[in-house]
């Protein structure tokens, strides 16, 4: 299952079972198929390198992530839709989801590379996770027509979201 | 895990009342946060750990379901009652010509569906049974899925079992189809790569944005869904769920969904038939 040899550092983290799900999830209760509004990026399958089974240290793009854009993507129900499952310090949005850990302070808990893996393909860390892989196109089952062969987020959107999450340093507002 | 509750016979209303009384299973020993409904005495709508979607619905939605005059689904019930007595097809027969008074002949029928249907060598749900009757016995055209006619007659037939505990059989010849339904329920699918279990087994009661996840019980279908502004079938709900996770849905009445219907209905064995229910 974890053939790529996890480092001892990672195995020693506290509360790993729960934290393995940290990241971004989109249950998409209001998702609508609108291919026209999604940038075409279906050509090549996403490529990245997981190191030590716990991190993707190299950014997916040359352009640094923009935290302000990232904040938009985590709210957007057709993109990150992270609020669907995670509580976050975004007070103007009502009804944050409850099915996954709150993300207050997540930028203090994880490095950018660790967050990158959790967004790109969280099931590398926890094969049982409910969380979708946001930058993966392979190994999926019966994907809705119009969404085949492309990830939920573009590489740049992933980087924007990481940049935003890295700004979340304060755990004190966590509700759970 | 036997959750079956036997309710003695009698008129439909009295059976419903009996259901309300006997299934008042208190949530003893349940330890949970306040406000998640676990400690509330839900009467027949909660049997052991099994909770109808009713128990996750808001008070206004429940009130709509509780009052026959407020429940919009009763318009479809009236249509169903009309159809029951209307002769159609080359045979010149109505449902009533063979089945008589639905209150008697259809009492408790819906608690057992989907069934294994020998002629087909596979499962059959109520909608399929009705259309089989139309084609084979009445020599009439089958109703279209999600047409007001099929929804109406389905709701009417199921309504004759209202208050009686769901009691589908999953052994014998139904067993392999039940297993297929279970496998479907547990299989990840779609761009979001989720299985039914992730929401409806692991997280009932939790919010996904403003929606409260339920156990995904089938005992209230067809249901009047406020979001739809119409009555809808369980297979419509399956298709919506599949689309939500960006998975290609299966056709109405497909074997996949009928097998899944048996599995999902079995999960609610013991809950009262609520058709037609009202949901958000």
């Amino acid at each position: 299952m974890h053939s790529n040899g996890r480092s001892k550092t990672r195995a020693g983290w506290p509360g790993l079972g729960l934290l393995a799900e940290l990241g971004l999830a989109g249950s998409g209760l209001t998702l609508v198929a609108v291919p026209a509004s999604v940038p075409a990026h279906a050509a090549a399958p996403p490529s990245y390198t997981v190191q030590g089974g716990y991190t993707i240290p190299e950014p997916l793009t040359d352009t640094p992530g923009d935290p302000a854009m990232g904040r938009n993507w985590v709210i957007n129900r057709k993109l990150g839709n992270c609020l669907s499952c995670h509580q976050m310090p975004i007070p103007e949005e009502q009804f944050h989801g409850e099915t996954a850990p709150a993300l207050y302070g997540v930028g203090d808990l994880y490095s950018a590379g660790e967050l990158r893996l959790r967004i790109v393909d969280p099931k590398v860390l926890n094969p049982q996770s409910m969380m979708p892989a946001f930058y993966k196109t392979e190994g999926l089952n019966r994907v809705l027509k119009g969404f085949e062969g492309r990830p939920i987020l573009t590489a740049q959107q992933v980087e924007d979201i990481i940049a935003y999450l890295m700004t979340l340093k304060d755990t004190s507002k966590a509700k759970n | 895990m036997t959750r079956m509750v036997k309710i003695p016979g009698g008129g439909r209303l009295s059976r419903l009342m009996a259901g309300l009384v006997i299934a008042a299973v208190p949530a003893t020993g349940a330890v949970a946060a306040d406000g998640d409904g676990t400690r509330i005495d839900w009467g027949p709508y909660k049997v052991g750990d099994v909770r109808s979607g009713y128990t996750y619905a808001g008070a206004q939605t429940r009130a709509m379901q509780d009052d026959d005059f407020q429940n919009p689904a009763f318009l479809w019930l009236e249509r169903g009652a009309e159809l029951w007595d209307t002769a159609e097809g080359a045979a010149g027969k109505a449902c009533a010509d063979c089945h008589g008074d639905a209150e008697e002949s259809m009492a408790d029928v819906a608690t057992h569906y989907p069934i294994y249907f020998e002629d087909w060598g596979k499962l059959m749900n109520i909608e399929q049974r009705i259309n089989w009757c139309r084609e084979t016995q009445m020599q009439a055209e089958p109703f279209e899925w999600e047409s007001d006619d099929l929804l109406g007659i389905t709701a009417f037939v199921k309504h004759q079992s209202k208050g009686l505990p769901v009691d589908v059989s999953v052994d014998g010849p139904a067993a392999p189809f039940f297993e297929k339904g279970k496998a479907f329920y547990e299989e990840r699918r779609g761009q979001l790569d989720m299985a039914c279990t992730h929401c409806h087994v692991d997280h009932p009661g939790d919010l996904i944005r403003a929606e409260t996840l339920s156990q995904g019980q089938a005992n209230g279908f067809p249901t009047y869904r406020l979001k739809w502004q119409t009555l809808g079938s369980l297979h419509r709900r399956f298709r919506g769920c599949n689309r939500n996770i960006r998975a290609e849905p299966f056709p109405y009445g497909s074997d996949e969904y009928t097998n899944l219907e048996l599995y999902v209905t079995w999960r609610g064995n013991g809950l009262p038939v609520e058709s037609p229910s009202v949901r958000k």
Side-chain angles (χ1 to χ4, degrees):
Chain A
M1 198 152 60
H2 308 297
S3 56
N4 44 8
R6 218 173 268 165
S7 75
K8 284 192 175 176
T9 318
R10 188 198 157 278
W13 288 347
L16 194 75
L18 189 64
L19 293 177
E21 292 211 6
L22 272 173
L24 314 167
S27 83
L29 279 172
T30 56
L31 288 176
V32 183
V34 280
S37 72
V38 181
H41 48 83
S47 115
Y48 51 86
T49 306
V50 179
Q51 273 190 19
Y54 74 96
T55 182
I56 301 175
E58 287 299 315
L60 305 174
T61 62
D62 295 333
T63 310
D66 176 347
M69 295 305 282
R71 195 177 188 276
N72 291 337
W73 308 144
V74 303
I75 296 170
N76 189 309
R77 291 169 192 252
K78 289 169 188 166
L79 293 172
N81 198 18
C82 313
L83 284 180
S84 174
C85 295
H86 298 278
Q87 296 173 21
M88 307 176 76
I90 301 179
E92 76 273 20
E93 290 288 328
Q94 281 188 299
F95 300 115
H96 299 200
E98 300 175 333
T99 63
L103 297 183
Y104 297 91
V106 73
D108 207 34
L109 274 172
Y110 293 103
S111 69
E114 289 160 357
L115 290 175
R116 192 171 289 109
L117 176 59
R118 281 163 171 78
I119 299 167
V120 164
D121 189 0
K123 275 155 259 193
V124 171
L125 294 163
N126 175 10
Q128 309 303 319
S129 176
M130 175 183 188
M131 181 171 159
F134 283 81
Y135 195 61
K136 185 172 114 169
T137 55
E138 315 268 291
L140 298 173
N141 173 27
R142 215 179 154 82
V143 172
L144 186 65
K145 285 189 179 68
F147 290 94
E148 312 104 310
R150 58 184 205 195
I152 301 170
L153 296 171
T154 65
Q156 194 58 52
Q157 286 164 347
V158 172
E159 292 304 319
D160 292 344
I161 288 173
I162 294 166
Y164 167 65
L165 293 178
M166 290 305 287
T167 69
L168 306 184
K169 303 291 191 188
D170 181 5
T171 60
S172 63
K173 289 175 187 165
K175 288 182 191 166
N176 56 8
Chain B
M1 45 192 256
T2 304
R3 298 193 293 263
M4 240 188 53
V5 184
K6 292 284 182 199
I7 299 181
R12 180 151 41 101
L13 187 60
S14 66
R15 283 201 310 274
L16 174 59
M17 300 312 284
L20 290 170
V21 174
I22 55 101
V25 183
T28 45
V31 178
D34 289 335
D36 71 348
T38 309
R39 289 177 181 279
I40 296 174
D41 180 356
W42 287 110
Y45 300 106
K46 180 173 182 295
V47 180
D49 291 331
V50 182
R51 281 170 58 177
S52 162
Y54 182 93
T55 72
Y56 298 98
Q60 284 184 324
T61 309
R62 297 198 307 269
M64 252 174 124
Q65 174 173 325
D66 291 341
D67 181 349
D68 289 358
F69 293 99
Q70 273 195 58
N71 184 342
F74 274 69
L75 297 170
W76 279 264
L77 276 190
E78 284 172 23
R79 176 71 185 138
E82 264 172 45
L83 286 169
W84 183 264
D85 291 321
T86 306
E88 282 190 53
K93 285 196 263 187
C95 308
D97 288 325
C98 292
H99 298 289
D101 182 353
E103 272 199 33
E104 285 177 22
S105 64
M106 293 294 120
D108 99 341
V109 162
T111 63
H112 303 300
Y113 274 76
I115 57 159
Y116 174 80
F117 189 58
E118 201 148 326
D119 288 3
W120 285 359
K122 61 181 188 179
L123 299 183
M124 171 190 257
N125 70 6
I126 292 272
E127 286 93 335
Q128 289 160 338
R129 179 73 194 203
I130 288 164
N131 271 339
W132 178 87
C133 259
R134 287 182 62 82
E135 292 189 86
T136 310
Q137 311 292 355
M138 298 164 66
Q139 296 166 45
E141 289 292 310
F143 288 134
E144 298 263 332
W145 275 83
E146 301 311 292
S147 64
D148 288 337
D149 284 345
L150 187 56
L151 290 167
I153 189 73
T154 302
F156 175 75
V157 168
K158 286 196 168 183
H159 187 63
Q160 308 309 319
S161 301
K162 186 166 178 177
L164 296 177
V166 173
D167 181 22
V168 290
S169 168
V170 300
D171 49 13
F177 303 96
F178 173 77
E179 290 302 327
K180 283 182 192 174
K182 181 174 189 287
F184 187 110
Y185 196 82
E186 294 168 352
E187 185 183 9
R188 289 180 187 270
R189 66 191 67 245
Q191 193 190 38
L192 271 56
D193 201 26
M194 292 164 74
C196 310
T197 51
H198 287 120
C199 287
H200 300 295
V201 173
D202 297 344
H203 289 290
D206 288 342
L207 283 180
I208 289 211
R209 290 305 305 256
E211 307 294 331
T212 304
L213 291 170
S214 75
Q215 294 180 354
Q217 298 292 355
N219 58 311
F221 283 86
T223 190
Y224 185 90
R225 201 164 174 227
L226 300 171
K227 179 181 168 184
W228 292 337
Q229 292 287 300
T230 179
L231 204 62
S233 70
L234 183 61
H235 290 204
R236 177 173 180 182
R237 193 69 191 84
F238 287 161
R239 287 169 62 85
C241 260
N242 277 178
R243 278 211 194 82
N244 283 343
I245 56 168
R246 292 180 179 167
E248 190 62 23
F250 287 88
Y252 288 101
S254 58
D255 292 346
E256 286 84 358
Y257 279 171
T258 307
N259 295 339
L260 180 62
E261 178 173 349
L262 179 63
Y263 180 71
V264 169
T265 306
W266 169 83
R267 293 187 72 228
N269 261 1
L271 289 177
V273 174
E274 288 174 37
S275 312
S277 64
V278 180
R279 296 289 185 267
K280 184 180 180 186

